[in-house]
């Protein structure tokens, strides 16, 4: 039992799960799950009580039972007690103060990352204002490598997302060219296929690999199909760089995705066996999003932000090259409007970085949400200020296959110019060599005889 008194009224919370949910900022998914605070006053009382909870409590009082959930078992069994030691004496409130202090610099945050559980990260985020989330995330440095170096301070990468509603190779090639000529694609060139046809998926893999190899682009490709399809592609000899999978924070939710930890481990080993990376062996790419556990009725009464943080434990276990929260994609049932999407994006980025992940964000919303592109401009600017690892680049910010609104190649240009952010260094050198950018990283005018344009003209429908 936890309790706090506010305005002469005593509030009681039956267990840590309820306390965490009641302390969460208001969002539609928690109301849908009937776990949210009934009033702003109850929410503040829950935060007061949560601030007094020792961090050690999260190792003893498990929000999702150990016996029922392999994600919980992963969190507890892989917990690094030595890394936890410097902060083990703190309460959640003390932890917030420590994170904001000068003592918690980049080196110290990297040292303790393996000792922080997702529940600890989620708990402290509930006590933090947006500026706190930004300031701490900015101090977290997470660097990964495959064919280039992602996550360096002062850098921002872009996933080039050339989706097409019919998986047209020519249409995808046109979008890919568009993105490359705007300097996008250093995180990954990643296609969400409309089809699960294995021969078509193989053609998409082959096309991406052909372009990357033909022009010696220091980047990686990924066809974002189900992990079982990727395993079959590897068995067929397809040139697979990264293994993609959507993941969630409970075993039951992951079962809804058709996956478990053993399957992800099998896929990681299969990708590593190909030895296609030139600078590193981070071969996994994961996507997450608040609300996925609730949408599959697999949340165990845990609030959606804490469930999201638990997904990061799954990702962390597999040393991914990239992880991104598709923050507004699931819809207004879970994040109702721009305000909720902005807060969720900052929470996700903070928790992911605190846990040691190369976290990016698909700054996005669905067409029926109470949000617009101005809200996305705000979130993009805040996240990039907080040290975002990568964002999404879609032609015109409108994904014509997934039918949602994201960020564009032009948005990447805006945020790079505003904050002086650089491409991955190997990709930046390639852009200069290809006369796409000048020596200062600024875009050049592209001549009609540019080799990338000539290559597209040679593509067959």
């Amino acid at each position: 039992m936890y309790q706090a008194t506010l305005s002469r009224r005593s509030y009681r919370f039956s267990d840590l799960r309820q306390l965490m949910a009641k302390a969460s900022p208001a969002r539609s998914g928690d109301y849908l799950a009937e776990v949210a605070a009934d009033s702003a006053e109850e929410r503040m009382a829950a935060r007061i009580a949560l601030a007094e909870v020792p961090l050690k409590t999260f190792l003893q009082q498990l929000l999702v039972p150990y016996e029922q959930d392999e994600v919980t078992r992963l969190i507890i069994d892989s917990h690094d007690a030595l890394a936890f030691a410097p902060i083990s004496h703190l309460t959640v409130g003390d932890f917030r103060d420590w994170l904001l202090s000068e003592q918690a610099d980049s080196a110290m945050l990297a040292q303790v990352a393996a000792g922080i559980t997702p529940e600890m990260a989620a708990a402290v985020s509930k006590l933090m204002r947006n500026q706190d989330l930004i300031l701490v995330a900015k101090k977290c440095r997470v660097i990964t490598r495959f064919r280039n170096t992602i996550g360096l301070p002062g850098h921002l990468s872009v996933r080039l997302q050339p989706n097409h509603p019919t998986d047209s190779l020519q249409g995808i090639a046109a979008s890919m060219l568009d993105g490359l000529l705007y300097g996008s694609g250093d995180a990954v060139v990643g296609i969400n296929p409309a089809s699960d046809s294995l021969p078509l998926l193989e053609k998409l893999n082959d096309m991406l690999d052909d372009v990357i190899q033909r022009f010696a682009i220091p980047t990686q490709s990924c066809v974002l199909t189900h992990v079982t399809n990727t395993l079959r592609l590897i068995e067929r000899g397809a040139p697979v760089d990264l293994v993609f999978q959507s993941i969630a924070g409970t075993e039951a939710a992951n079962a809804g995705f058709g996956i478990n930890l053993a399957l992800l481990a099998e896929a990681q080993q299969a990708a590593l066996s190909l030895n296609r990376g030139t600078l590193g062996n981070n071969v996994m790419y994961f996507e997450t999003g608040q609300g996925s556990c609730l949408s599959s009725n697999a949340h165990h009464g845990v609030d959606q932000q804490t469930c999201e943080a638990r997904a990061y434990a799954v990702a962390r276990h597999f040393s991914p090259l990239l992880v991104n929260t598709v923050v507004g994609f699931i819809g207004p049932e879970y994040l109702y409007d721009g305000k909720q999407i902005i807060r969720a994006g900052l929470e996700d980025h903070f928790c992911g970085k605190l846990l040691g992940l190369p976290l990016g964000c698909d700054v996005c919303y669905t067409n029926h949400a109470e949000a617009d592109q101005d809200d996305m401009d705000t979130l993009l600017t805040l996240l990039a200020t907080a040290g975002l690892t990568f964002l999404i680049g879609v032609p015109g910010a409108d994904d014509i296959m997934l039918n949602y609104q994201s960020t564009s190649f032009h948005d990447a240009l805006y945020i790079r110019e505003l904050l002086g952010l650089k491409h991955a260094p190997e990709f930046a050198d390639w852009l200069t060599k290809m006369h796409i950018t000048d020596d200062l990283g600024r875009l050049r005018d592209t001549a009609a005889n540019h080799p990338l344009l000539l290559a597209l003209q040679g593509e067959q429908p």
Side-chain angles (χ1 to χ4, degrees):
M1 175 73 72
Y2 299 89
Q3 63 181 26
T5 301
L6 196 62
S7 301
R8 298 183 179 179
R9 179 177 175 181
S10 181
Y11 290 88
R12 291 178 173 83
F13 309 96
S14 60
D15 55 23
L16 189 57
R17 182 191 296 115
Q18 185 185 62
L19 180 66
M20 290 276 281
K22 298 288 188 179
S24 291
R27 61 204 57 197
S28 52
D30 287 339
Y31 287 114
L32 184 64
E34 299 182 340
V35 300
D38 293 329
S39 66
E41 186 172 283
E42 185 184 29
R43 183 173 299 112
M44 184 55 66
R47 290 175 181 172
I48 291 171
L50 181 60
E52 299 301 319
V53 175
L55 291 180
K56 291 179 179 178
T57 304
F58 292 97
L59 300 173
Q60 301 157 356
Q61 299 182 27
L62 307 182
L63 304 189
V64 181
Y66 183 93
E67 299 78 10
Q68 298 177 16
D69 189 90
E70 68 172 0
V71 177
T72 298
R73 294 194 289 275
L74 174 67
I75 292 167
I76 298 302
D77 295 348
S78 64
H79 182 251
D80 189 329
L82 185 62
F84 182 56
I87 58 173
S88 62
H89 62 290
L90 300 177
T91 65
V92 176
D94 294 334
F95 188 34
R96 173 190 176 274
D97 294 341
W98 181 82
L99 288 170
L100 292 168
S101 72
E102 293 182 2
Q103 180 185 355
D105 58 14
S106 297
M108 179 57 75
L109 290 172
Q111 179 183 328
V112 302
I116 301 171
T117 70
E119 291 85 354
M120 294 175 193
V124 75
S125 76
K126 298 176 193 302
L127 305 185
M128 302 177 92
R129 292 171 56 185
N130 286 0
Q131 64 174 248
D132 301 334
L133 299 173
I134 293 168
L135 183 61
V136 175
K138 180 73 170 181
K139 296 191 288 184
C140 297
R141 306 282 167 77
V142 183
I143 298 170
T144 57
R145 294 179 175 89
F146 188 76
R147 291 200 188 101
N148 58 23
T149 306
I150 295 171
L152 293 168
H155 291 66
L156 175 67
S157 295
V158 178
R159 171 190 162 188
L160 202 172
Q161 183 170 300
N163 295 341
H164 193 277
T166 64
D167 290 330
S168 162
L169 296 184
Q170 188 177 44
I172 289 169
S175 294
M176 187 175 173
L177 170 68
D178 191 24
L180 290 170
L181 293 179
Y182 275 109
S184 292
D186 49 344
V188 63
V189 182
I191 301 170
N192 297 92
S195 170
D196 277 334
S197 162
L198 212 61
L200 178 57
L201 296 176
E202 193 166 13
K203 287 182 181 179
L204 294 175
N205 265 287
D206 289 340
M207 184 199 73
L208 292 179
D209 184 62
D210 176 66
V211 173
I212 288 173
Q213 299 301 329
R214 194 190 326 175
F215 295 100
I217 308 173
T219 191
Q220 36 283 327
S221 67
C222 186
V223 175
L224 282 71
T225 187
H226 193 269
V227 62
T228 53
N229 287 334
T230 304
L231 279 168
R232 293 168 67 191
L233 289 171
I234 292 173
E235 291 169 358
R236 291 165 67 111
V240 172
D241 288 344
L242 305 182
V243 174
F244 167 81
Q245 184 55 48
S246 295
I247 57 174
T250 68
E251 179 180 346
N254 283 325
F257 285 139
I259 63 166
N260 55 37
L261 297 180
L263 179 61
L264 295 178
E266 180 187 351
Q268 182 187 36
Q269 290 306 309
L272 287 171
S273 71
L274 300 179
N275 197 30
R276 292 178 57 81
T278 55
L279 296 183
N281 59 0
N282 300 116
V283 296
M284 305 299 281
Y285 174 20
F286 296 118
E287 285 189 346
T288 68
Q290 288 194 29
S292 57
C293 290
L294 175 58
S295 67
S296 58
N297 195 28
H299 58 95
H300 295 269
V302 178
D303 67 271
Q304 68 178 36
Q305 188 254 332
T306 301
C307 285
E308 170 72 3
R310 284 170 53 90
Y312 303 153
V314 176
R316 180 168 65 175
H317 185 64
F318 295 100
S319 303
L321 180 75
L322 304 166
V323 181
N324 73 272
T325 167
V326 193
V327 66
F329 182 75
I330 303 183
E333 299 85 358
Y334 307 97
L335 296 170
Y336 178 71
D337 57 14
K339 181 180 178 64
Q340 291 187 11
I341 292 171
I342 289 168
R343 173 69 190 191
L346 294 176
E347 290 170 347
D348 294 350
H349 181 251
F350 163 83
C351 288
K353 284 293 185 64
L354 194 62
L355 292 168
L357 286 177
L359 209 86
C361 183
D362 190 345
V363 178
C364 64
Y365 63 101
T366 57
N367 291 313
H368 62 309
E370 291 295 322
D372 58 29
Q373 214 64 33
D374 285 337
D375 295 316
M376 300 306 104
D377 287 348
T378 298
L379 178 54
L380 170 60
T381 305
L382 294 175
L383 284 171
T385 303
L388 184 70
T389 301
F390 72 103
L391 70 151
I392 307 299
V394 177
D398 184 2
D399 192 301
I400 58 173
M401 194 282 281
L402 293 174
N403 194 30
Y404 78 118
Q405 308 305 311
S406 184
T407 45
S408 70
F409 309 135
H410 301 80
D411 293 326
L413 295 178
Y414 146 72
I415 203 65
R416 289 192 197 280
E417 181 176 349
L418 178 70
L419 300 179
L421 300 172
K422 301 176 182 179
H423 302 85
E426 302 84 359
F427 193 79
D429 291 343
W430 179 82
L431 290 173
T432 303
K433 177 183 176 181
M434 293 294 291
H435 302 287
I436 295 172
T437 61
D438 61 22
D439 291 339
L440 298 178
R442 298 173 301 197
L443 283 181
R444 294 175 179 268
D445 291 334
T446 304
N449 62 349
H450 192 281
L452 287 173
L453 286 168
L454 295 177
L456 177 67
Q457 293 172 11
E459 292 289 341
Q460 297 299 313

